[in-house]
Amino acid sequence: MRGTYEGMWNVVRFNWPKYALGLAVVLLLLTGAWLVPAMRSEFGASCCVVTIMLIVPLVVSYIIYDRSDLYAMPWLGDLGPTHPRRVLNLNAGFDESSRILRHQYPNSALVVIDLFDAARYSEPSIARARKTYPPYPDTVSAPGGPLPVPCASVDLAVCFLSLHELRAHKDRVALLKDIRRTLTAEGRLVVTEHLRDLPNILAFTVGVFHFHSRRTWSEAFGEAGFRVASTHSTAGFITTHILQAA
């Protein structure tokens, strides 16, 4: 069961050095406004800008992770009424989705794979998240290699806020191709991500560069042999693509 502010709080504690630095800058600007009265308006304006840059991402994070239907995964209803025999869930070191999928599909075989690779996933926030949240039971680690899953054995594959951690386009395409290999003829892949688009730019400013554009994702899907069957928007900031083999 998720706490009322769990999503927003996770953003703070996984990225606490950035917020500590931001608060330090605010204090320095306030000190400058006090010490240099002639530049009080300049220091004050700068303080307001930095404060807004700290607060807005937290407000948006609360809307997305704590108030929206993100963790209800309503897009799973687009997959049809049948229950998948095998569900493949891929995370990048921080798994918030396996328990949801187990609850959604109690009679399906659930295979959970952790793609975390310390050599490629350089974000310190992931390391902090891994220390806070233990892996889902029986999670299999597969950092960089082919997925340890038989061909044409998966009815549903899920990548929930994880694929963007593969920073190189070729790595994302290679993984998508490997996922396609595991899918049955009617199998579906669900990819949920922030996009590098206007709403996320306004919300996260420079942090948006950690995400990828809609065009980048479209190119990766196409190169891997997928087509987009449908899309779902969550709170205007997150997009879920439901894919099937082209």
Side-chain angles (χ1 to χ4, degrees):
M1 191 73 178
R2 293 180 61 82
T4 304
Y5 300 98
E6 183 174 346
M8 185 178 70
W9 172 235
N10 281 342
V11 171
V12 174
R13 62 176 169 173
F14 297 160
N15 300 278
W16 69 263
K18 296 178 183 178
Y19 285 94
L21 176 61
L23 289 175
V25 171
V26 169
L27 291 175
L28 285 173
L29 291 170
L30 290 174
T31 302
W34 178 61
L35 294 176
V36 189
M39 296 185 63
R40 185 163 294 163
S41 60
E42 290 83 352
F43 279 116
S46 299
C47 184
C48 288
V49 170
V50 175
T51 301
I52 290 171
M53 291 177 66
L54 289 174
I55 292 177
V56 169
L58 293 181
V59 173
V60 173
S61 296
Y62 174 70
I63 292 171
I64 296 171
Y65 304 125
D66 298 314
R67 298 295 297 175
S68 77
D69 61 359
L70 177 65
Y71 294 98
M73 295 187 176
W75 49 84
L76 293 177
D78 290 350
L79 303 177
T82 59
H83 289 283
R85 291 168 298 174
R86 176 176 288 175
V87 176
L88 171 63
N89 191 29
L90 299 153
N91 70 78
F94 178 42
D95 184 359
E96 293 187 288
S97 52
S98 289
R99 285 180 172 78
I100 300 171
L101 292 170
R102 168 52 65 213
H103 178 75
Q104 180 75 20
Y105 302 115
N107 298 318
S108 301
L110 176 61
V111 179
V112 181
I113 294 182
D114 182 358
L115 301 171
F116 179 77
D117 184 346
R120 292 189 298 168
Y121 298 1
S122 57
E123 283 290 315
S125 58
I126 300 179
R128 298 185 192 104
R130 288 173 67 83
K131 290 180 180 179
T132 305
Y133 288 89
Y136 188 79
D138 299 322
T139 293
V140 177
S141 179
L147 299 175
V149 180
C151 296
S153 64
V154 172
D155 298 303
L156 171 62
V158 176
C159 298
F160 185 79
L161 302 176
S162 58
L163 284 191
H164 69 277
E165 296 295 350
L166 276 74
R167 307 311 300 166
H169 180 76
K170 63 179 180 63
D171 291 338
R172 290 191 296 274
V173 172
L175 177 59
L176 286 166
K177 286 182 177 179
D178 202 17
I179 295 172
R180 183 166 59 86
R181 172 190 64 80
T182 70
L183 292 177
T184 61
E186 300 299 321
R188 297 290 186 271
L189 167 61
V190 179
V191 177
T192 298
E193 289 287 350
H194 286 274
L195 297 181
R196 190 184 297 175
D197 56 10
L198 183 59
N200 283 289
I201 290 172
L202 295 175
F204 300 105
T205 60
V206 295
V208 79
F209 290 102
H210 189 60
F211 311 139
H212 307 299
S213 68
R214 187 181 302 273
R215 178 178 178 180
T216 296
W217 283 116
S218 295
E219 291 175 350
F221 296 153
E223 290 177 33
F226 282 106
R227 69 175 182 85
V228 178
S230 61
T231 60
H232 186 284
S233 178
T234 301
F237 294 96
I238 287 186
T239 301
T240 295
H241 294 92
I242 297 178
L243 311 173
Q244 61 186 99

